[in-house]
Amino acid sequence: MAGPTLTDTMPELDDLMTWSVDKAFIAAQREIAPVGKDGENKDQRYNFRQAEDVIRVCSGAMRKYGLRIFPARVLSREHQTRGKMNVTIIEVEWAVRGPQGDVMDTPIVTIGEAADASDKATNKAMTASEKYALLQAFKIEVKPGDLDDGDRDHPHGVRSPLDWYLERLRLANVWYSRDELRRVLDVAANNNMLSAPMPDNPQCTLEQYVLMRGRQLVAEEQERERERAEQHEAFKAQMLVEHPTPGPAHDPWAVRPPQPTAGPPTVDNEEVPAEDTEPGEAPPAEERLPEQSEVQALVNGAKADADALTGIRARFGEAVLEQVVISSPWGQISANAAITLALDDIGSKASKKAPTAPRKVTPQEKATAKMLAEAQLQADALGVELHEHLAPVLPPGETDTSRLTSRVELQKLIAEQRPRTLAALIKAGHTAAAELYSRLGVYVPAANIDKIVAAVEADQPA
């Protein structure tokens, strides 16, 4: 007696719910038709049974008899690279469940293997594993007249002689190491592979490709060294702004020149102890720094009197005055620098009689100049006047940008305005300047601000 066919009446649902998984499986197996090898691999010239064809002939009978097949566990998964292809080999345990909810005692274990140039290798491998699970479970026949099963006679993948080198170059420890790249070239030379053409660019040989990568690594290392040097200089300048170098008056280990004294009073060539000094005790030395208010009052009183200013310097000495910070028309600077700038302004004889050698600009003054240069750059980029940009660090209502209240506050202002300035440079099309400005990091003043200003003035939009 012939078995049931696809045209047979579908069992009643209540009756079907009493069937075991084995009974439903046997009923479905009797209705599944053979599957032909309608798929064609044109590259390797073989025919195969497509996964969608296998699933299609099984799904009707499985729905009819309440069968479900699903992946119970992924037992293993392996990833490989073959040339330019990503390959996944996956082992899956499939379970078959019947209409009552019972599962077949023996699971179906199949292996799927697939290759893909992007990220679909695992998906394809799962589909292949499901295809073979159905083929093995239901023993699906091949259509009469088809060739031998191409899936069994699938030709082995042929590895190109270049594949080993390509796989090595994909490794991070090789791609980012000049030493490892040299080793790849040595192996290629021993195997006469230096002139092998690259798959994506036949005009480029393996040797040229590796050498280009090596030159790129050298250029990147040089760029990092340059940036490190600029950051180091910027860091030193920033430290000079925030922590001025102490002079001899603050350094207990500094060697100080002896100070001339009139000597103790004598009577008949015998020394007389100074007042308020016990015998054998040295008189107190005048080594303390003068009070800031004291020096401020003296400088304010001298005003444009060159002789008075020179007298203040002679009284305390340049080394001491360098350590006392006072308010001046040029901002918060040392008293010694304020006296020098005042003498320069009034063109006094005292300044003209100074040594012919030009006065050295202090590191603090250099740092301030660089910060003001960047502040001007920021003001121009943001479309405001410099005194408007510096308003938070100027006295209320002041427009003289030399009258800064604090270099540290100026430093903070510049750092806060860098993101806005960078956006403005990019919007204005100053690509070269924006590239340099984006590398400044957190250091203020910037070591290479002159290059950035020059790039803006050159006005080379993208």
Side-chain angles (χ1 to χ4, degrees):
M1 181 177 179
T5 65
L6 291 175
T7 59
D8 288 343
T9 304
M10 184 174 293
E12 291 292 338
L13 183 59
D14 292 339
D15 180 41
L16 183 62
M17 294 297 291
T18 64
W19 289 23
S20 68
V21 63
D22 290 326
K23 180 178 180 179
F25 187 88
I26 293 172
Q29 186 179 30
R30 296 169 68 182
E31 296 189 7
I32 293 176
V35 177
K37 295 198 298 298
D38 298 324
E40 179 183 2
N41 187 316
K42 295 181 180 180
D43 293 332
Q44 297 174 332
R45 299 180 181 178
Y46 68 91
N47 296 84
F48 61 94
R49 291 187 285 187
Q50 300 180 97
E52 54 265 32
D53 292 339
V54 175
I55 295 173
R56 184 176 62 253
V57 301
C58 294
S59 60
M62 292 179 67
R63 283 196 301 270
K64 180 178 179 179
Y65 295 106
L67 288 174
R68 288 153 289 172
I69 184 168
F70 55 89
R73 286 190 302 164
V74 174
L75 301 179
S76 66
R77 177 179 178 273
E78 179 183 353
H79 180 76
Q80 302 175 359
T81 55
R82 299 176 188 171
K84 296 185 294 183
M85 304 297 286
N86 297 314
V87 178
T88 296
I89 303 173
I90 192 167
E91 184 178 13
V92 184
E93 178 183 292
W94 298 87
V96 179
R97 177 171 291 170
Q100 289 187 26
D102 55 334
V103 179
M104 293 186 68
D105 295 338
T106 305
I108 306 167
V109 178
T110 55
I111 295 176
E113 178 175 347
D116 189 77
S118 58
D119 61 349
K120 301 296 187 295
T122 300
N123 299 353
K124 292 180 178 180
M126 281 292 293
T127 301
S129 178
E130 182 181 10
K131 165 188 165 181
Y132 285 106
L134 294 171
L135 288 173
Q136 292 181 13
F138 291 107
K139 300 301 179 183
I140 301 174
E141 300 174 358
V142 181
K143 281 184 178 179
D146 275 345
L147 301 175
D148 291 338
D149 189 356
D151 292 324
R152 289 197 306 269
D153 301 331
H154 191 295
H156 294 289
V158 178
R159 282 175 60 86
S160 164
L162 197 60
D163 281 349
W164 183 87
Y165 301 95
L166 297 178
E167 290 173 3
R168 291 290 298 169
L169 293 175
R170 290 191 187 97
L171 299 176
N173 64 315
V174 176
W175 187 246
Y176 294 98
S177 170
R178 282 186 287 164
D179 292 337
E180 292 297 329
L181 291 175
R182 290 192 193 97
R183 292 189 181 95
V184 171
L185 285 180
D186 291 341
V187 176
N190 292 335
N191 293 304
N192 297 320
M193 288 293 295
L194 291 176
S195 59
M198 296 298 293
D200 295 334
N201 183 8
Q203 304 301 321
C204 177
T205 66
L206 174 63
E207 181 181 24
Q208 293 171 337
Y209 183 75
V210 177
L211 288 177
M212 282 191 296
R213 175 56 183 170
R215 286 192 290 269
Q216 184 182 8
L217 288 177
V218 171
E220 290 174 355
E221 180 61 29
Q222 291 174 345
E223 178 66 14
R224 285 193 294 270
E225 288 295 333
R226 184 191 64 77
E227 291 181 355
R228 280 195 289 266
E230 289 182 353
Q231 290 179 354
H232 180 65
E233 290 300 321
F235 176 76
K236 290 197 299 184
Q238 180 174 352
M239 289 299 100
L240 286 171
V241 172
E242 297 179 356
H243 309 286
T245 305
H250 281 166
D251 187 356
W253 304 103
V255 178
R256 301 183 181 85
Q259 300 294 328
T261 59
T266 60
V267 176
D268 297 333
N269 296 327
E270 291 184 4
E271 293 186 1
V272 178
E275 295 183 6
D276 300 328
T277 304
E278 295 295 330
E281 181 180 321
E286 291 293 329
E287 292 188 0
R288 69 171 181 83
L289 281 178
E291 295 291 335
Q292 178 183 357
S293 58
E294 176 186 2
V295 177
Q296 183 78 63
L298 290 172
V299 174
N300 291 345
K303 295 184 178 178
D305 189 338
D307 293 335
L309 292 172
T310 305
I312 297 172
R313 178 175 283 170
R315 174 180 174 183
F316 294 105
E318 292 190 20
V320 173
L321 292 175
E322 192 67 39
Q323 306 306 310
V324 181
V325 178
I326 65 172
S327 299
S328 75
W330 304 275
Q332 296 280 341
I333 59 176
S334 69
N336 187 54
I339 292 173
T340 298
L341 294 173
L343 291 174
D344 288 342
D345 280 350
I346 63 179
S348 65
K349 295 180 180 180
S351 63
K352 292 180 181 179
K353 293 179 180 179
T356 56
R359 184 183 70 85
K360 292 184 178 180
V361 180
T362 65
Q364 290 85 353
E365 292 169 340
K366 290 181 180 179
T368 302
K370 285 186 176 293
M371 287 194 291
L372 288 175
E374 184 173 353
Q376 183 67 65
L377 171 69
Q378 292 182 341
D380 293 341
L382 298 174
V384 297
E385 296 293 332
L386 179 59
H387 71 272
E388 296 175 345
H389 186 56
L390 296 181
V393 293
L394 291 174
E398 183 62 65
T399 59
D400 185 355
T401 56
S402 65
R403 301 194 64 184
L404 300 170
T405 57
S406 169
R407 288 188 299 177
V408 173
E409 292 302 319
L410 172 62
Q411 184 183 39
K412 294 179 180 178
L413 173 67
I414 291 172
E416 291 172 355
Q417 294 300 320
R418 278 183 176 173
R420 290 183 60 207
T421 304
L422 177 60
L425 290 174
I426 295 173
K427 184 177 181 180
H430 298 298
T431 306
E435 174 66 20
L436 293 172
Y437 202 73
S438 66
R439 301 177 184 174
L440 291 184
V442 298
Y443 298 114
V444 178
N448 63 336
I449 189 64
D450 296 336
K451 294 181 182 178
I452 301 174
V453 173
V456 173
E457 292 175 351
D459 193 19
Q460 298 175 351

